[in-house]
Amino acid sequence: MSSAQPPARQLVPLLLALVFVALVAISHTIGPQPDAETRVLESACRLLLDNTTEGRQALVGSIWRPPVPFLLRLPLVRYLADEALASRIVSVAFGLATLGLLYRIGGHWNLGRLRLPLLGALALNPLFVHETMNGSSRTTVAYLTLLAAQGLARWVDRRSLQGLIYAGFACAFMIGTSPDLLPWVAALQILILCDLLMRSARRGQREAALILGLLPAAYALGVWCLMNWLILGDPFYFVRSMFSAESRVAAPIALASITWLHKLAGGLCGLALLVGFAKRNRALAYVAAAGLCLLLLMPVMARSQLPWDFRQIELCLTVLTVLAAAQAAAAAGGRLSIERTAWAWAPVSLALAISWSPHATAHPADAHSAAALPGIRAHVLHRSPYAKVFVCGYDSFRLLRAGAGPLFTHVLDFNLGQLKNDYFGHDLYVLIHRPRGRSATDSVHWKHDRIFTLGTDNTLYDRDWGDWRLFEIIQARR
């Protein structure tokens, strides 16, 4: 008696699991180089698993290194010894989750087979593929962006309570995942607020919607402030670098970086916005406005000269453009009308344009390596057998490996007087990275203005090791 064949739906989870495993294996063997922040995330996770003070400080101490990417990798780092494997698993998982969510959204909007060009516009986009394979957290943010925007669409279209909850919690998790989307999260909260004010509601309905839509984000910020107060003694420690002059050194975003590719994406969102107004389709208008807000925020963010992650913003703009096109296709009449088909295929042009762009997959290599460690070790031990080197900032996680030994110590909250007292009898040195990009947001730079250039009253310049500068801490002999 032959056994019955399993239904097709029961094979879908198995096929997805096989695709996931294959993508992880490909990314780990022949994929792109790991993202520049991968070593920071995984090294900090190992210190956190060892229950060290530096691990806890790294988790909550900087808005530029938010806690959610650390927590997502924490269970995997515990059991995986291979470098960047845990990060690649996370990035591939959220890349597939983004495609799966877009497929489900197309199903809810009755797009049928027209979901395929929309999925292809994202799945074949070189930027999306690269970020899925390199172990970064950008696919995590892309998934949350898509979840928040489609939640907003469901709320304004059908007053779906589930959609409002999705939007609120996606914004909350986005705050703890990426600082680069904080202005966009604020814009999305304003769109929710405008929708509540412009439409009639029963008594108490607006207050309830405000609680569900806005409170999760406020709660996430409150918890972050509480953890800073408990661990670092200052509830606003993690945002101090945003008001420091050193953080505005060599910011990676410039107005010239806003190219015709971004203008093409913004043009599609702008056209979808006009169609939404013409058809009085609130969902389409709000989704297109969400994508257009991100494009309009880019020059404002560039003028702030803070070290925003340009590739993160570009990836999220691509995702929002595809969602706006999907919503426009859903709003078009007819099952396979010309307008519906044109909107479904419109994002493919963006993917092709990025493929033809010579800078589409350009990614800065991680210049931080442990090559300088043997020279630094030999240098300071030649000066004194009782030397101690404090490596400052999050860049210390890129420089130091597991075999760095007791000579080197991570320091995230630099306090010169406390270090002298805690390590009395040692010859103390401090190693500081050049304040470039997000390296300039480390506490050693905003606590001690221009310390890399001028040092302090209690430090003496020793020598440079590439982008690292070594200072000797002056101590009175006793």
Side-chain angles (χ1 to χ4, degrees):
M1 184 176 179
S2 61
S3 59
Q5 293 294 327
R9 286 187 177 182
Q10 295 182 5
L11 295 177
V12 172
L14 179 61
L15 291 176
L16 288 177
L18 292 176
V19 170
F20 172 72
V21 172
L23 287 177
V24 171
I26 292 172
S27 67
H28 194 58
T29 53
I30 60 174
Q33 289 295 319
D35 183 68
E37 293 294 317
T38 298
R39 181 180 294 279
V40 174
L41 293 170
E42 297 195 3
S43 298
C45 284
R46 298 189 190 282
L47 289 182
L48 190 61
L49 290 170
D50 292 337
N51 197 26
T52 62
T53 301
E54 292 78 16
R56 291 189 291 271
Q57 290 175 346
L59 180 65
V60 299
S62 175
I63 194 170
W64 302 104
R65 276 91 174 185
V68 172
F70 292 97
L71 296 176
L72 289 174
R73 288 157 177 76
L74 194 63
L76 299 172
V77 169
R78 187 179 189 91
Y79 301 105
L80 298 175
D82 290 350
E83 181 182 348
L85 180 57
S87 296
R88 292 186 193 273
I89 290 175
V90 172
S91 65
V92 169
F94 277 96
L96 291 177
T98 304
L99 295 174
L101 180 58
L102 183 62
Y103 184 82
R104 290 190 61 186
I105 291 172
H108 289 314
W109 293 346
N110 299 318
L111 292 179
R113 295 181 179 178
L114 292 179
R115 290 179 289 182
L116 297 180
L118 293 168
L119 286 174
L122 190 59
L124 301 179
N125 190 306
L127 176 62
F128 181 80
V129 173
H130 188 271
E131 299 304 330
T132 299
M133 295 290 191
N134 71 351
S136 71
S137 297
R138 298 185 183 99
T139 53
T140 307
V141 184
Y143 173 80
L144 294 173
T145 303
L146 184 62
L147 184 64
Q150 72 92 22
L152 174 65
R154 293 177 61 181
W155 166 249
V156 300
D157 184 31
R158 302 190 300 270
R159 275 297 185 258
S160 169
L161 191 62
Q162 189 181 45
L164 183 62
I165 293 173
Y166 283 161
F169 278 89
C171 288
F173 279 102
M174 209 177 302
I175 288 174
T177 306
S178 172
D180 312 289
L181 271 291
L182 288 179
W184 183 81
V185 169
L188 196 71
Q189 302 282 308
I190 293 173
L191 288 177
I192 295 175
L193 186 60
C194 291
D195 177 71
L196 292 173
L197 294 177
M198 290 189 301
R199 296 181 68 175
S200 60
R202 296 190 300 270
R203 182 179 179 181
Q205 191 177 26
R206 285 195 179 95
E207 291 79 359
L210 283 174
I211 291 174
L212 290 175
L214 307 184
L215 187 61
Y219 179 78
L221 281 175
V223 171
W224 203 348
C225 291
L226 177 62
M227 296 304 295
N228 271 260
W229 179 48
L230 294 175
I231 295 175
L232 293 158
D234 180 0
F236 304 109
Y237 185 94
F238 67 111
V239 295
R240 300 286 184 193
S241 62
M242 298 190 74
F243 308 101
S244 169
E246 284 286 354
S247 300
R248 293 174 171 83
V249 176
I253 290 187
L255 289 175
S257 301
I258 303 175
T259 64
W260 64 274
L261 293 174
H262 310 110
K263 294 174 183 177
L264 174 62
L268 289 175
C269 290
L271 182 59
L273 180 63
L274 293 177
V275 173
F277 282 138
K279 295 186 175 183
R280 295 184 179 181
N281 189 305
R282 300 177 63 86
L284 175 56
Y286 274 84
V287 169
L292 204 56
C293 280
L294 188 56
L295 179 67
L296 295 177
L297 284 170
M298 290 172 68
V300 178
M301 296 167 71
R303 288 190 178 93
S304 71
Q305 296 184 338
L306 288 170
W308 308 104
D309 184 0
F310 182 72
R311 291 179 66 84
Q312 178 68 82
I313 300 170
E314 185 179 357
L315 179 61
C316 292
L317 179 61
T318 303
V319 170
L320 291 174
T321 303
V322 173
L323 183 64
Q327 182 69 66
R335 186 176 180 182
L336 288 174
S337 64
I338 296 178
E339 181 185 1
R340 194 181 181 94
T341 305
W343 273 114
W345 284 91
V348 177
S349 63
L350 182 61
L352 293 175
I354 295 177
S355 301
W356 293 333
S357 172
H359 304 292
T361 56
H363 187 67
D366 185 6
H368 307 269
S369 66
L373 279 182
I376 299 174
R377 178 185 287 108
H379 175 72
V380 297
L381 290 179
H382 177 73
R383 301 279 297 273
S384 171
Y386 307 105
K388 195 76 175 176
V389 181
F390 301 102
V391 189
C392 294
Y394 284 84
D395 294 288
S396 64
F397 296 113
R398 296 175 183 163
L399 183 71
L400 301 183
R401 296 179 181 268
L407 174 64
F408 299 94
T409 302
H410 297 276
V411 175
L412 295 179
D413 184 25
F414 184 74
N415 188 321
L416 190 58
Q418 184 179 355
L419 293 179
K420 287 183 178 181
N421 294 329
D422 292 345
Y423 294 90
F424 174 74
H426 291 270
D427 290 280
L428 305 180
Y429 296 85
V430 57
L431 194 61
I432 302 174
H433 190 270
R434 187 181 303 277
R436 178 184 299 156
R438 291 196 174 174
S439 300
T441 64
D442 290 329
S443 66
V444 66
H445 296 294
W446 57 260
K447 277 189 169 184
H448 305 274
D449 188 29
R450 294 188 291 178
I451 185 175
F452 185 84
T453 305
L454 304 177
T456 66
D457 294 338
N458 296 310
T459 58
L460 183 65
Y461 169 77
D462 191 292
R463 62 173 296 181
D464 286 347
W465 303 83
D467 285 336
W468 293 91
R469 181 161 292 178
L470 185 67
F471 293 90
E472 182 180 1
I473 298 178
I474 301 173
Q475 302 178 85
R477 297 292 180 181
R478 285 190 274 177

